[in-house]
Amino acid sequence: MSDRILILVALSLILAMVAGTAIQIRKPQPTPILVKESMRRPDYAIALENPMTTDMDGVTKPLHERFSKPTVVNFWATWCIPCVRELPLFAKFKPIAEAAGIQVLTVNVDKEGAPVAKKFLEERGIANMPVVLDPDGSLSKALKVRGMPTALLVNAKGEETARMEGEADWAGPGVIDVVRELLTLPSHPVLAK
């Protein structure tokens, strides 16, 4: 009889966790406004690794070849609740960034790759979003990404100037000014020579 009670308790706990997750997904969550203080900024721009990357069209090239100008790189996954809330806001930021001469790039970390990412973007009406795939996590590891969502601000030299770990409202007022300022971090004087 005690085994049945333990099983019922375990099933009750599992159901409570599933219900809690479902409620959190449906319940509107406020997305924090992006402010300079929420970004981690080093003293000098940090040179990034240059691993090979593959985009949704199957084009493979080194990461640095994807940076033709200052870039905001956003790591996301379809299973990440904060990412699901943040990505539409990042999509709204894209035309604002492009008008300011800043490109955007997203990195999808779903293990299933392009089919899952493509379906997710289509279901949410997010079009023309450049996506690099990272199904094995090698790009995330090379760039020391610890969790989702994470955004990196990268200058045209392929150097990280700031990092945001966690979600942010990229479509909020003044965000482009914050991004512009954070992209101006100088290269290390010794390494820049």
Side-chain angles (χ1 to χ4, degrees):
M1 196 63 143
S2 65
D3 287 344
R4 285 186 177 173
I5 292 172
L6 287 174
I7 291 172
L8 286 173
V9 169
L11 287 173
S12 297
L13 288 171
I14 291 169
L15 285 173
M17 289 187 323
V18 168
T21 300
I23 289 169
Q24 184 176 355
I25 290 172
R26 285 190 212 126
K27 181 180 169 186
Q29 300 288 321
T31 303
I33 293 174
L34 180 74
V35 293
K36 186 169 61 170
E37 294 74 24
S38 64
M39 303 287 279
R40 192 174 80 208
R41 186 173 183 177
D43 293 332
Y44 296 101
I46 301 167
L48 292 176
E49 296 287 326
N50 192 21
M52 294 302 287
T53 60
T54 303
D55 63 24
M56 293 267 276
D57 296 324
V59 176
T60 299
K61 59 183 169 181
L63 178 64
H64 287 212
E65 286 185 21
R66 297 188 185 277
F67 303 140
S68 60
K69 55 179 99 173
T71 306
V72 180
V73 183
N74 192 325
F75 285 77
W76 63 281
T78 60
W79 46 262
C80 164
I81 294 169
C83 300
V84 171
R85 289 190 300 254
E86 180 186 63
L87 200 57
L89 299 171
F90 194 72
K92 288 179 182 177
F93 170 72
K94 182 179 182 271
I96 297 165
E98 289 173 344
I102 299 167
Q103 67 184 28
V104 300
L105 177 67
T106 66
V107 179
N108 176 265
V109 300
D110 284 284
K111 293 185 184 335
E112 298 84 5
V116 168
K118 184 176 181 181
K119 180 180 177 193
F120 177 87
L121 294 171
E122 286 173 355
E123 287 174 350
R124 281 154 184 81
I126 299 173
N128 302 318
M129 184 63 73
V131 180
V132 168
L133 303 169
D134 188 24
D136 64 357
S138 60
L139 180 58
S140 299
K141 185 177 179 181
L143 301 184
K144 299 176 177 77
V145 172
R146 301 183 299 183
M148 300 299 128
T150 294
L152 307 179
L153 275 58
V154 180
N155 64 25
K157 297 178 196 174
E159 299 171 324
E160 179 183 330
T161 63
R163 176 179 295 235
M164 172 72 187
E165 294 175 334
E167 73 180 295
D169 182 353
W170 290 91
V175 168
I176 195 66
D177 296 327
V178 170
V179 170
R180 272 192 198 123
E181 181 183 343
L182 291 170
L183 281 166
T184 63
L185 190 66
S187 300
H188 194 286
V190 174
L191 300 176
K193 293 181 180 181

